[in-house]
Amino acid sequence: MAPRCWRWWHWSAWPRIRPPSARSTLTPGFRRQFSTQEKTPKICVVGSGPAGFYTAQHLLKHHSQAHVDIYEKQLMPFGLVRFGVAPDHPEVKNVINTFTQTAQSDRCAFRGNVEVGRDVTVPELREAYHAVVLSYGAEDHQALEIPGEELPGVFSARAFVGWYNGLPENRELAPDLSCDTAVILGQGNVALDVARILLTPPEHLEKTDITEAALGVLRQNRVKTVWIVGRRGPLQVAFTIKELREMIQLPGTRPILDPADFLGLQDRIKEVPRPRKRLTELLLRTATEQPGMEEAARQTSASRAWGLRFFRSPQQVLPSPEGRRAAGIRLAVTRLEGVGEATQAVPTGDVEDLPCGLVLSSVGYKSRPIDPSVPFDPKLGVIPNTEGRVVDVPGLYCSGWVKRGPTGVIATTMTDSFLTGQSLLQDLKAGLLPSGPRPGYTAIQALLSLRGVRPVSFSDWEKLDAEEVARGRGTGKPREKLVDPQEMLQLLGH
């Protein structure tokens, strides 16, 4: 259930107010039109990231009697707001305040430490609730599927981000940062997040919510150069201008861009959409213009560097002489075929070897199937659905990444989740959902108790939250994240 709704986000694009497109199109008086048998629908949401919380928020707002239970496999809520947003982007985490208001509603309950598909099945939830919404996100990463991917020194960016952000399953990652060169495969916002964390002076991270264990490793970090590699060209990068600007201005670093990669680009960007044009213009200026005296002096004194390598596709992770760890990566040189969004990178037949001691794969997230009873498209990595209604399973819905794939900014996930909530309420009003009373959590609680599962409530989370804040206060951090589930359960007296 944990990653949900990631970018991809970008988190920095989280709106403070709902755009017009996200506002409900429910008919006036919709909330007053439910019949008596629909008065107190019990709805279950699986996943407590943005998709789950936005779905719950919409249901509670537009049905004055609905009760929503949010199930989460982690002991703490908020999904990738907590485990995905970079520690040096605290302003993006403010959306937690909105989600907290939803969770504190007397018609909403958080049920943490419950893994749907293991502790309780989707059919059991469907039996207990009038409707079930799957919002559990994309908690897996796209494999590279190349030789050497299993070597020590190769990590998914997802695991690396989880490690420095305190995701319990990644707390033992212990990446070796004793090499001088790292390669990140992929050119999205996550790739730039990871590069920025690797190259940021540790003292600049000391007042963030990065874990103390990660900070200790980063203080010993010897990585001096980070290459960010993409199969296509400058016009196809997936990161946004905010993240690029942060990289260009990163203290103690200088950018390495090959002007040859940008030849002829000035004419080609005239027709592209404005955000892409502004981004490409910034890349062009950085690659081709002489910096001013102050910037030139800053770059000359920089002890670290980062660069973008275009038209390169990973073929093989190269082992060290004794074969025990990664020592480089073999890249196929590519060229572009096609036009517009259909542009494809095809190998030219040339290859090049890039020495490095750390390889981070940032080529995308993917959802997993949650339960044999739920249809799943393994190729697209989504639950087949129509406007959030799961195909051929009445009363079952989905929202967020598991609905549409791990793409889009946060506003996309918000709108997407509101639309799923709206589909559910329309079905409820049309009499398409079970009409009689349903036991809801009472039935599930009995099953969990029999199976030895102890759920965590939102008030339990608030105790853990207070403990984290107290631990961080001593070192001037906003919090020191708890990363060991056993310690969390002990603190709660479980």
Side-chain angles (χ1 to χ4, degrees), residues 109-416:
F110 173 72
R111 316 290 184 188
N113 198 34
V114 179
E115 184 169 352
V116 174
R118 185 194 68 184
D119 301 330
V120 63
T121 68
V122 172
E124 286 168 339
L125 291 174
R126 292 183 63 218
E127 190 84 12
Y129 290 88
H130 291 95
V132 174
V133 186
L134 302 174
S135 310
Y136 61 88
E139 57 185 332
D140 211 347
H141 69 280
Q142 295 282 2
L144 293 171
E145 297 180 346
I146 60 172
E149 186 174 10
E150 74 295 335
L151 285 168
V154 182
F155 302 96
S156 72
R158 181 197 177 285
F160 191 78
V161 169
W163 167 71
Y164 64 64
N165 270 332
L167 183 60
E169 68 194 59
N170 298 131
R171 69 187 187 279
E172 308 287 352
L173 197 73
D176 181 354
L177 306 183
S178 62
C179 59
D180 63 5
T181 302
V183 168
I184 301 171
L185 301 169
Q187 292 182 332
N189 278 329
V190 176
L192 292 201
D193 278 351
V194 168
R196 197 177 66 253
I197 295 297
L198 279 171
L199 294 172
T200 295
E203 59 270 21
H204 289 222
L205 296 171
E206 286 172 352
K207 302 304 181 190
T208 73
D209 68 359
I210 193 168
T211 66
E212 195 53 48
L215 198 53
V217 173
L218 289 167
R219 286 192 183 107
Q220 308 299 317
N221 177 16
R222 294 184 193 166
V223 174
K224 298 289 183 226
T225 306
V226 176
W227 290 107
I228 304 157
V229 179
R231 292 176 298 114
R232 299 191 290 172
L235 268 177
Q236 288 81 35
V237 295
F239 52 72
T240 51
I241 195 165
K242 177 182 181 286
E243 278 62 35
L244 175 62
R245 201 175 280 122
E246 283 181 314
M247 287 300 294
I248 292 168
Q249 296 168 354
L250 195 61
T253 69
R254 61 187 176 87
I256 308 171
L257 297 175
D258 185 351
D261 288 333
F262 297 86
L263 289 173
L265 217 56
Q266 190 72 57
D267 294 330
R268 290 166 57 203
I269 61 174
K270 289 173 183 171
E271 305 302 319
V272 301
R274 189 167 179 268
R276 170 71 65 186
K277 185 179 180 186
R278 289 177 60 232
L279 172 66
T280 312
E281 284 172 342
L282 180 56
L283 280 169
L284 259 170
R285 286 197 301 274
T286 308
T288 59
E289 292 181 7
Q290 286 294 326
M293 283 181 62
E294 192 178 327
E295 178 62 14
R298 188 186 78 80
Q299 290 187 16
T300 303
S301 65
S303 59
R304 295 178 173 185
W306 61 274
L308 295 169
R309 297 292 283 270
F310 299 108
F311 310 110
R312 301 289 186 273
S313 181
Q315 273 200 334
Q316 179 185 354
V317 179
L318 303 171
S320 56
E322 77 285 357
R324 289 188 186 161
R325 58 173 297 108
I329 188 153
R330 179 159 294 159
L331 301 169
V333 180
T334 64
R335 59 182 170 79
L336 296 184
E337 284 187 358
V339 291
E341 293 300 311
T343 304
Q344 293 289 319
V346 297
T348 63
D350 294 333
V351 297
E352 67 178 33
D353 293 349
L354 188 56
C356 62
L358 178 66
V359 177
L360 292 157
S361 165
S362 184
V363 295
Y365 285 52
K366 69 176 183 181
S367 297
R368 299 173 183 160
I370 193 171
D371 189 288
S373 70
V374 179
F376 190 79
D377 183 331
K379 189 175 180 187
L380 296 176
V382 297
I383 295 171
N385 70 91
T386 306
E387 296 179 339
R389 297 173 177 93
V390 176
V391 172
D392 295 331
V393 191
L396 188 62
Y397 302 82
C398 56
S399 68
W401 280 6
V402 78
K403 172 183 173 183
R404 70 176 193 276
T407 58
V409 297
I410 192 60
T412 325
T413 290
M414 182 184 68
T415 306
D416 164 305

Side-chain angles (χ1 to χ4, degrees), residues 53-71:
F53 266 108
Y54 278 130
T55 303
Q57 179 185 320
H58 186 88
L59 294 169
L60 294 168
K61 180 177 180 181
H62 293 284
H63 194 303
S64 60
Q65 300 298 314
H67 188 99
V68 180
D69 287 329
I70 303 176
Y71 289 84

